[in-house]
Amino acid sequence: MINLLWLLPLFPLIGFLILALTGEKLSKPAVAWVGVGSVGLSALLTAFIGAEFLAGNRDSYQVVLGSWMAVGDFSVNFGLYLDALSVTMLFVVTGVGFLIHLYSAGFMEADAGYARFFAYMNLFVFAMLVLVLADNLVMLYLGWEGVGLGSYLLIGFWYQNPDNGYAARKAFVMTRVGDTSMALGLILLFTHLHTLDIQSLMLDAVNQWDAGTQLPVVAAALLLGGALGKSAQLPLQTWLPDAMAGPTPVSALIHAATMVTAGVYLIARTHELFILAPPVQFAVSLIGAATLLLAGCSALVQTDIKRILAYSTISQIGYMFLALGVGAWSAAIFHLLMHSFFKALLFLAAGVVIYCFHHEHNIFKMGGFRKAMPVAFWSFLIGGSALAALPFTSGYYSKDEILLAAFAVSPGLWAAGCLGALITGIYSFRLVFVVFFGPQRAEVKEVIGWRMILPLVVLCMLALFGGILSVLQIPLESVFQLPVEGGEHHGFSFVRVVTIAGPITGLAIAVLFYLTGTFSTQRLNAVHWLKLLQQFWFSGWGLDSFYNALLVRPFKRIAELNKNDVVDSAYLGIAQISMGFHYLASASQTGRLRWYAASMGFGAAVIIAIGLLS
């Protein structure tokens, strides 16, 4: 089956081409069969390939499909590479991606752009599969940019609303900033190591560069810039909450299974380079710790059900960056896998609430939906528990590994992670209690088909019991160096207790504020400085306003001043001067022989005079 690896990205690509070329002529059932079925075939083939890989000797596998380009010493192949890391990513992209596609078949059925939606979704999955299977950085970059294009199309899917178009452009432009950094990093790597084949590149870097020297530090920093943009980490995270403008299944696909995990994958895939750049690797951990705290605080005060989940995604990706920064590579990828389960579950459950509640997003207009929406309630309860990392859920096992590894490197980073776990517990159950408990504020009836229910049930099982994969997990030690061990040092018991107590304490606080009403949030808002702090967090720590003042408004002002193309005036002036000389030259062409003879005589006299006088 591994020999059929090339079929994995081919299936969604064929689905995209069929839907893009003939989708409007197909019936909606046919569109669903093509859109969902193509990704389903990739998921089924992934299951067989994964099983064969795990049952075998687990060696890496490489296949070259053909030559892409060759210029001088520079050559790039269409090559695919399979190892434990790419197998893990394949399970996420095709497995969770298929469940989201199946859910979309029911959620988007009434939309006029049904075929266009699935065409975009299939293009997105194709690009992500190219990204994770690429054996060279140029092909990886092809998938990287394809994911960016797909996200632009999906976020702005409902383009009739100008705000949706703005959100799509914002995501596209902000991720381009990171992509430019990454492109410069690729150029630097090729210039000095003369290859972009990932395995050869990493081997050459280890053999030729010393740790901490300038070249690996600069190269790693440039790749980190690309990862920050795609994975929405500080300071390039502000596009992700606005990306909620797209349909809910798009949010699930971008936030759970694909785009935002691309930066984590990039750092993990090139981890040898980051090991050679200790300052950059430490910066990864600091950025992750800061991002998980800032995004968690913003999630505490949001009122839009999807924006809460968006900020939680930024925060959870921060945990993955924290793990990468402390060298817990396997823990980062394990949390990526667990996060794909419970975050897809939460977004799809949020879609059910929005679907059944007249497309309302404000959680404080909801309430008491526990009995009216049992499927959504249990999905949120299980997904929220895993997001908060309550013991024995999938999120607990992966986040526990990260925090113990962080303590082995820096107690300060561990403390930041524990505080983030406390905050996560609060906002996760704030969401559950406000939406599903208390008095029911509106009549709603959960009416959803099996195509929406089945993915929720499967994801509930994975969010609950996915942690068992910590025992049976894919052997990532064949890809990474041994992870940092957090349990061998003095004080391990205390660390373990505090790590577990964080989310439980967050749950208790949420119960007191949002379930029993023992404490009132209105009283907190009555305190002036707390209200200002809440507004600051609500705005995403003012970063959007800062970027608008620093970059957006000045650029718009310059564009306004140049609306008549001032720069073009210089070029138009040159053209006018040329036209003037042409007019003078053409005016001398009268067609009269006496004029021509007199001109020649006068010219000859002038030339002779110049000769005599000189």
Side-chain angles (χ1 to χ4, degrees):
M1 280 293 179
I2 291 181
N3 293 327
L4 301 178
L5 188 65
W6 57 277
L7 287 174
L8 288 176
L10 184 63
F11 287 138
L13 176 61
I14 292 174
F16 161 72
L17 293 174
I18 292 173
L19 294 173
L21 296 175
T22 65
E24 298 301 327
K25 300 177 182 178
L26 298 176
S27 64
K28 286 190 174 181
V31 168
W33 273 106
V34 173
V36 181
S38 58
V39 178
L41 287 173
S42 291
L44 184 63
L45 183 57
T46 295
F48 284 115
I49 290 175
E52 182 177 337
F53 178 84
L54 295 174
N57 55 19
R58 303 175 180 179
D59 289 335
S60 60
Y61 175 80
Q62 188 172 16
V63 56
V64 176
L65 304 176
S67 177
W68 181 4
M69 63 182 81
V71 181
D73 295 335
F74 179 68
S75 62
V76 178
N77 293 322
F78 286 110
L80 305 179
Y81 184 80
L82 187 74
D83 63 358
L85 176 58
S86 50
V87 166
T88 304
M89 295 300 297
L90 287 177
F91 283 139
V92 173
V93 176
T94 63
V96 178
F98 168 69
L99 295 174
I100 295 170
H101 272 69
L102 181 60
Y103 176 97
S104 302
F107 186 89
M108 297 295 294
E109 191 169 25
D111 197 282
Y114 197 63
R116 180 167 57 90
F117 175 81
F118 277 106
Y120 293 167
M121 292 279 276
N122 280 28
L123 174 64
F124 195 97
V125 171
F126 161 73
M128 193 67 193
L129 288 172
V130 170
L131 192 159
V132 301
L133 286 173
D135 74 342
N136 63 80
L137 287 175
V138 178
M139 194 165 171
L140 185 150
Y141 194 73
L142 172 67
W144 190 273
E145 291 300 320
V147 168
L149 171 63
S151 69
Y152 171 78
L153 295 172
L154 288 167
I155 294 168
F157 177 76
W158 288 318
Y159 58 87
Q160 296 87 349
N161 185 340
D163 290 340
N164 296 343
Y166 173 79
R169 291 195 303 276
K170 182 178 180 180
F172 193 78
V173 170
M174 290 201 73
T175 54
R176 289 293 77 70
V177 174
D179 295 354
T180 302
S181 173
M182 179 180 173
L184 293 174
L186 301 191
I187 294 170
L188 176 65
L189 288 169
F190 177 76
T191 301
H192 290 275
L193 298 178
H194 309 292
T195 181
L196 286 174
D197 178 82
I198 296 174
Q199 304 309 312
S200 300
L201 186 71
M202 293 301 105
L203 183 61
D204 291 347
V206 171
N207 292 333
Q208 297 182 30
W209 289 345
D210 295 325
T213 53
Q214 184 180 22
L215 283 175
V217 168
V218 174
L222 290 171
L223 294 188
L224 174 59
L228 295 180
K230 274 291 188 288
S231 289
Q233 297 293 284
L234 281 170
L236 300 177
Q237 85 286 5
T238 59
W239 67 268
L240 193 58
D242 290 344
M244 297 300 96
T248 302
V250 171
S251 303
L253 188 65
I254 290 177
H255 290 215
T258 52
M259 182 170 173
V260 295
T261 61
V264 177
Y265 172 78
L266 174 66
I267 295 176
R269 177 56 76 194
T270 58
H271 68 279
E272 294 96 337
L273 180 62
F274 283 83
I275 292 173
L276 292 173
V280 179
Q281 188 177 353
F282 184 63
V284 172
S285 64
L286 288 180
I287 290 170
T291 304
L292 71 90
L293 289 174
L294 267 64
C297 291
S298 291
L300 279 174
V301 297
Q302 299 299 313
T303 58
D304 185 306
I305 188 171
K306 288 175 65 177
R307 286 182 76 89
I308 295 171
L309 297 177
Y311 277 109
S312 79
T313 296
I314 298 173
S315 183
Q316 295 305 303
I317 299 293
Y319 275 102
M320 299 174 205
F321 269 65
L322 173 61
L324 294 170
V326 299
W329 314 104
S330 296
I333 300 303
F334 187 42
H335 191 56
L336 185 156
L337 179 62
M338 297 300 102
H339 176 260
S340 71
F341 298 154
F342 60 73
K343 187 51 61 66
L345 173 62
L346 286 168
F347 267 112
L348 298 187
V352 172
V353 173
I354 294 168
Y355 184 85
C356 296
F357 192 45
H358 319 296
H359 298 281
E360 177 60 60
H361 287 221
N362 190 330
I363 62 172
F364 290 103
K365 293 183 180 180
M366 304 173 188
F369 290 169
R370 186 172 70 261
K371 294 181 180 178
M373 296 183 173
V375 174
F377 167 67
W378 285 106
S379 297
F380 256 103
L381 187 61
I382 293 171
S385 300
L387 172 60
L390 292 185
F392 309 115
T393 61
S394 60
Y396 162 75
Y397 292 99
S398 56
K399 192 176 290 185
D400 185 63
E401 283 188 25
I402 293 173
L403 293 178
L404 294 179
F407 187 85
V409 173
S410 168
L413 293 174
W414 167 78
C418 289
L419 179 58
L422 170 68
I423 294 171
T424 305
I426 298 173
Y427 70 68
S428 297
F429 286 97
R430 168 184 180 261
L431 179 58
V432 173
F433 295 149
V434 171
V435 174
F436 294 101
F437 289 83
Q440 186 169 335
R441 295 184 175 89
E443 289 296 325
V444 338
K445 187 176 182 181
E446 189 176 67
V447 182
I448 54 176
W450 69 270
R451 290 177 296 183
M452 295 174 68
I453 292 176
L454 181 59
L456 291 173
V457 172
V458 174
L459 289 169
C460 278
M461 295 298 103
L462 291 172
L464 268 179
F465 306 115
I468 198 173
L469 294 175
S470 62
V471 178
L472 307 174
Q473 64 179 298
I474 298 168
L476 291 169
E477 66 274 5
S478 62
V479 179
F480 305 118
Q481 294 182 359
L482 290 176
V484 176
E485 295 295 340
E488 299 297 328
H489 50 76
H490 181 69
F492 168 71
S493 298
F494 168 77
V495 172
R496 172 75 72 175
V497 169
V498 174
T499 301
I500 296 175
I504 296 175
T505 305
L507 167 60
I509 293 172
V511 168
L512 293 174
F513 273 95
Y514 300 104
L515 185 61
T516 65
T518 304
F519 300 105
S520 171
T521 56
Q522 283 75 18
R523 289 185 179 180
L524 293 179
N525 292 335
V527 180
H528 181 65
W529 70 270
L530 285 177
K531 185 175 182 179
L532 292 178
L533 182 63
Q534 176 182 336
Q535 292 172 352
F536 184 58
W537 287 352
F538 184 84
S539 68
W541 295 69
L543 282 174
D544 265 325
S545 299
F546 174 72
Y547 291 149
N548 283 335
L550 182 67
L551 300 171
V552 178
R553 283 199 292 270
F555 182 83
K556 286 184 175 180
R557 180 59 179 162
I558 293 171
E560 180 68 23
L561 293 173
N562 193 40
K563 64 181 180 182
N564 294 321
D565 292 325
V566 175
V567 175
D568 284 352
S569 299
Y571 300 102
L572 292 174
I574 294 172
Q576 291 294 332
I577 293 172
S578 299
M579 290 174 64
F581 281 117
H582 170 73
Y583 175 77
L584 292 174
S586 62
S588 67
Q589 304 300 309
T590 62
R592 298 176 181 177
L593 292 177
R594 286 179 295 176
W595 168 255
Y596 293 156
S599 299
M600 292 171 65
F602 177 77
V606 170
I607 292 172
I608 292 171
I610 292 173
L612 292 174
L613 293 175
S614 62

